[in-house]
Amino acid sequence: MAVPKRKMSRSNTRHRRAQWKVSAVQTQPCPQCKSPKLPHAACGVCGTYNGRQILAV
């Protein structure tokens, strides 16, 4: 198993971690009410998913 020979400096660690960026969540319009919703999730406005009423809103 590979083990580092020396401790990684704080600046090197932070420089490496600076590349971990969060991307914005992509939304798509709801087919029923056209409001933005997460993909593969029930719509929070009208409560439908895959053409069926799932949530009572």
Side-chain angles (χ1 to χ4, degrees):
M1 193 165 129
V3 178
K5 266 196 195 223
R6 298 193 189 278
K7 180 179 179 178
M8 186 173 268
S9 68
R10 186 175 288 170
S11 66
N12 276 352
T13 302
R14 290 178 177 168
H15 190 287
R16 184 186 71 244
R17 287 182 184 161
Q19 303 307 316
W20 283 63
K21 295 179 181 69
V22 177
S23 60
V25 177
Q26 298 294 321
T27 58
Q28 60 190 39
C30 173
Q32 297 288 93
C33 64
K34 307 297 187 233
S35 65
K37 71 172 194 74
L38 293 174
H40 305 286
C43 178
V45 177
C46 63
T48 58
Y49 179 72
N50 202 14
R52 297 187 310 240
Q53 186 71 26
I54 302 295
L55 302 173
V57 183

